[in-house]
Amino acid sequence: MNPSQAAALLTLGHSLRQAGYRFMTVTPSTHRRINGRPGNERALDLRGIFGWSRPFEPGLLPPRMLALMREAGIVKEEGSLLRSGLRLSTLGNLLLYHSAYPTSEDDAVFFGPDTYRFVGTMERAFGWLGSGPTRAVEIGCGGAPAAIAIAQRYPHAEVLGTDINIKALDLATVNARLAGLDNFQACHSDLYAGLQGDFDLIVSNPPYILDEDERPYRHGGGERGAEISRRIVEEGLERLRPGGSLMLYTGVAISGPDDHFLESVRPLLEQACGTWSYEELDPDIFGGQLGEPGYEEVERIAAVWLHAVKR
């Protein structure tokens, strides 16, 4: 993304906020079902264009908004109709850019119900942080919803958002500017590999699905999709300052009574942490995934939350 495209996205975001735009992003299956209802074939308002990713007549938008979309390079032509290449979603008082529906590209930037659960649980845990971190990072940030929430809550902190996806980092930078923040920085890094120094706060909502196409925003690697989550804990504890917090929201494939992910990280947590907690936020998410290869023995996918405080 070049500077003029980023500036156009920023101005467009401000224009949508001034117009009262709000949109809560749903699961892909719900999105597909709602868009399939009669009358929803085309967008009729701003939410249809920038939330539901529906095609629209060029005359539906004010000329200035359409010009900004073209300048930002996010207009896709479909015959006589147009479609936005990005969505904007509401998170508290924030508007955040992310990929349009459906998210099928390798460099798609994810945002959805997991994001709301992740950031909401993180914000409820801020009470543990006292005056807050001086240096924080969101690993695998995508559009950086958590990093931006941290930077907004703790303006004295240096906050980083890291990802291997350049498109995600471009959108994260625009999202932070749209929020009016100057204490956020987007960094290209494969987990911690490109980072220097240590942190008071590490947060992450990594990919955890077994994806046949191994799309980076979705595929969690081996260990039934838990490999990246385990690495974030293992490598993160080495980067965490004494008294610092690691907060992880992830999904765990569970077969029978045992939680394989928890048992894999328990020795690390007991060795390095003075206190830690682990809970299931939702016992059954992405049920449709259980019919996919690699899940033959899996009974459910649970959304879990880990908060570890280093000794």
Side-chain angles (χ1 to χ4, degrees), residues 91 93-94 118-136 144-159 176 179-184 201 203 247:
L91 178 66
N93 64 351
L94 300 172
F118 167 41
V119 175
T121 308
M122 179 193 74
E123 290 179 331
R124 289 190 290 275
F126 280 167
W128 285 81
L129 303 182
S131 61
T134 59
R135 193 165 192 251
I148 289 170
I150 294 167
Q152 188 177 58
R153 176 68 173 266
Y154 303 108
H156 65 276
E158 175 193 3
V159 183
L181 301 173
D182 59 8
N183 60 330
F184 169 84
L201 176 62
V203 303
M247 301 179 184

Side-chain angles (χ1 to χ4, degrees), residues 285-309:
I285 59 173
F286 285 102
Q289 192 69 27
L290 300 184
E292 299 299 317
Y295 288 95
E296 292 82 3
E297 305 301 322
V298 174
E299 296 178 356
R300 60 192 180 94
I301 302 173
V304 303
W305 175 255
L306 170 66
H307 182 183
V309 181

